[in-house]
Amino acid sequence: MNSFFETVQPKIVFAAGVIALALAIVAGCGRPAAARPATSTPTRPVTATAIPTPTPTPTPTPRPPVIGVDSYTTTVTLPTYPFRDFLVEQLDPLYNMPVYYFNRPAYEAEPRQPAPVDYTGVVLENKYLRLTFLPQLGGRLYSAVVKPTGQEIFYHNPVVKPSRYGVLQPYEANWWLASGGMEWAYPVQEHGYRFGLPWDYRVTQSATGAAIILADSAPHRTGLTVTVSLPVDSASFSVTPRLTNNAAITVPVQVWTNAALALSSGSMSPDTQFVVPTGVITIHSRGELGWSLPDAGRRAAWPLVGQTDLRDYRQWANYLGFFVANTDAPFMGAFNAATKLGVVRLPESGRAGKLFAFSAGFPDRSYTDDDSQYFELWGGANNGFWPEDDLPVAPGQSLGWTELWWPLAGLPGLTWATEHVAIALEQNESTATLAALVARPVTGQVRVTAAGALILNERFSANPARPLSWPLAAGAGPLTIEFTDANGGVLLTYQTN
């Protein structure tokens, strides 16, 4: 018996023969498919002020103040449908990996209701962030709470429920869990095979931080480890997936991280703004109505499509998924203007990203029981989900990368971000304001020039708990913004058009 059945002990009720395994793509989480086919003096005082932040949400179980990075286990109780009772194991011979198919006809033969299930939560926590992992649900990073404000960035489905989304054939055999948080998708496109199975884990700690190593591996097959590291003094965390081929043959692989995000309580808000600093995207999937977008696999301009500004979620006419090359966008992010909560993903050079959202009017919410919705922000080793994007991995070889994720709380917007500083620049005809949030405590200098004239030159001292802001002279021409640390090292540079 494999570890999955040893852990969850399902009852096998699907007395079917071998179900044909096909690596066919079902577009965007199994949504409707795309084919695989000079110097001057500032004109006024510019003293930095701290931006007020929302009232924190109380922590259910009070704990002593965190010194360094704390790690501990807890219990996360989630209403769960009895999907495990209807999973049938088949072997994918290419990857020598067990794949679990869902007997949906048997599952739907009589009404099913969710029941509370206790899952082990593994927590990493410093003074700025609290990260909670659920090893029994695909090793996912389930929760990321910004402690100074008590805000959660991830979407949380109120139930653990098998959806119809996924890559399996027949389509009814899919059971992807839209539970929320960040999942690890491999060895095939989309959400892969291992999203809802138990993963092994271990936690390491040092004077500089802590990490959890999540592992889904076995002899003689392709396997994946994901290391999530939380430094002592940082409001960001790193994610390092590493796939290793332990089989005897070269295999084509896809490896992705996928974060289901809401940036608000319960459900994604229409106030969401997408921040993708690029001029071109590659369409993966799209709705048929209300779009003047090309077909899957074709490139399109970003952010304007006709009169539609794709940065503004209120203007989305239908569902859309698209890929962005890292060379075109050094980061991808999103921001909720109502909650003043955002997130950025900063990958290593050469790593692609993907964004997907349903649109407010998307009719299929069968993955949940409360009509809630989310958007997805992906990072990958591959450029896309199509077969030509597969990467060959020889026996004994590995591939991996590192990406930085940074939840942002309290900024009035999101204009640009590096691993050190995130800024929001708000301008109109008469006023302008620069706000900044730092990832780690830092003392440094901020300089702003307008058409070559210095309009702000000030030392600052900041920490990740509270953004700072400076008023600027408006209407003075294109701006150049630079943040440096106390040693003159550049933390961020940004220029307006």
Side-chain angles (χ1 to χ4, degrees):
M1 299 290 284
N2 59 66
S3 61
F4 171 55
F5 285 97
E6 290 173 345
T7 303
V8 300
Q9 298 179 341
K11 295 174 288 184
I12 302 301
V13 298
F14 190 12
V18 174
I19 300 174
L21 175 65
L23 302 181
I25 290 181
V26 179
C29 304
R31 273 76 63 172
R36 245 191 93 130
T39 297
S40 63
T41 303
T43 57
R44 53 179 169 145
V46 286
T47 302
T49 57
I51 299 175
T53 53
T55 302
T57 301
T59 302
T61 304
R63 293 181 56 82
V66 173
I67 299 174
V69 178
D70 195 7
S71 66
Y72 55 94
T73 59
T74 186
T75 299
V76 178
T77 303
L78 301 175
T80 302
Y81 281 86
F83 67 91
R84 298 192 192 276
D85 296 347
F86 299 89
L87 297 179
V88 180
E89 179 180 337
Q90 303 290 334
L91 181 70
D92 181 334
L94 177 61
Y95 302 100
N96 195 30
M97 176 182 291
V99 180
Y100 295 90
Y101 290 75
F102 189 50
N103 184 1
R104 190 170 293 276
Y107 175 80
E108 294 181 346
E110 58 184 83
R112 307 279 172 184
Q113 297 298 321
V117 172
D118 290 342
Y119 298 92
T120 298
V122 182
V123 181
L124 301 183
E125 181 176 0
N126 66 12
K127 68 174 68 175
Y128 305 116
L129 285 178
R130 182 168 59 249
L131 308 179
T132 303
F133 301 82
L134 298 183
Q136 293 156 297
L137 281 180
R140 73 185 61 230
L141 169 53
Y142 182 68
S143 173
V145 174
V146 183
K147 290 176 62 177
T149 65
Q151 292 173 291
E152 169 70 65
I153 64 167
F154 289 126
Y155 167 74
H156 285 163
N157 197 329
V159 291
V160 179
K161 183 178 184 180
S163 77
R164 287 179 166 82
Y165 302 151
V167 297
L168 301 178
Q169 295 293 327
Y171 188 58
E172 289 294 304
N174 285 297
W175 56 284
W176 177 68
L177 304 175
S179 299
M182 188 182 298
E183 64 181 354
W184 327 118
Y186 92 107
V188 296
Q189 74 285 347
E190 299 282 355
H191 302 282
Y193 292 158
R194 314 294 289 181
F195 50 80
L197 308 179
W199 286 43
D200 296 324
Y201 75 92
R202 63 185 177 91
V203 174
T204 64
Q205 289 187 276
S206 70
T208 58
I212 183 171
I213 298 94
L214 301 142
D216 177 61
S217 59
H220 313 300
R221 74 162 172 88
T222 304
L224 185 71
T225 62
V226 180
T227 302
V228 181
S229 300
L230 181 62
V232 169
D233 60 348
S234 178
S236 65
F237 58 93
S238 66
V239 177
T240 304
R242 185 172 181 83
L243 177 140
T244 300
N245 180 13
N246 292 318
I249 61 171
T250 297
V251 292
V253 301
Q254 296 250 344
V255 190
W256 295 85
T257 63
N258 174 35
L261 299 145
L263 304 181
S264 62
S265 177
S267 184
M268 178 186 177
S269 167
D271 296 304
T272 302
Q273 301 283 322
F274 300 120
V275 184
V276 184
T278 185
V280 62
I281 59 177
T282 300
I283 303 300
H284 174 234
S285 62
R286 61 168 174 80
E288 298 300 321
L289 301 176
W291 287 125
S292 54
L293 286 165
D295 293 334
R298 305 292 296 274
R299 305 185 89 186
W302 173 274
L304 298 179
V305 178
Q307 300 300 311
T308 301
D309 188 341
L310 294 176
R311 293 172 297 191
D312 182 1
Y313 188 56
R314 290 184 184 274
Q315 298 186 38
W316 281 42
N318 213 313
Y319 72 88
L320 174 63
F322 60 84
F323 297 102
V324 178
N326 173 256
T327 52
D328 295 326
F331 72 90
M332 293 178 65
F335 178 79
N336 183 342
T339 60
K340 290 185 170 52
L341 183 63
V343 64
V344 291
R345 169 189 171 261
L346 297 120
E348 286 181 347
S349 177
R351 301 301 177 184
K354 180 180 183 283
L355 190 146
F356 172 87
F358 289 104
S359 83
F362 189 77
D364 181 13
R365 306 284 175 82
S366 59
Y367 56 83
T368 187
D369 286 351
D370 70 347
D371 204 40
S372 57
Q373 66 168 303
Y374 56 89
F375 68 96
E376 294 174 352
L377 192 57
W378 295 67
N382 310 78
N383 290 325
F385 287 167
W386 295 285
E388 58 267 28
D389 299 312
D390 291 350
L391 296 174
V393 181
Q397 287 190 339
S398 298
L399 67 84
W401 75 97
T402 296
E403 53 193 44
L404 196 71
W405 287 79
W406 185 5
L408 308 171
L411 279 176
L414 175 59
T415 303
W416 197 259
T418 69
E419 63 181 296
H420 307 291
V421 181
I423 63 170
L425 180 63
E426 297 182 308
Q427 293 178 282
N428 57 40
E429 293 183 356
S430 58
T431 63
T433 302
L434 171 65
L437 189 66
V438 297
R440 297 174 185 254
V442 63
T443 297
Q445 193 89 6
V446 56
R447 291 169 51 92
V448 181
T449 59
L454 186 65
I455 62 171
L456 172 64
N457 186 15
E458 182 174 301
R459 290 185 61 80
F460 70 89
S461 182
N463 69 73
R466 294 179 68 84
L468 300 177
S469 69
W470 297 264
L472 301 176
L479 301 179
T480 299
I481 299 168
E482 182 180 70
F483 285 80
T484 56
D485 62 23
N487 297 318
V490 176
L491 304 175
L492 176 144
T493 58
Y494 176 74
Q495 292 182 317
T496 64
N497 296 323

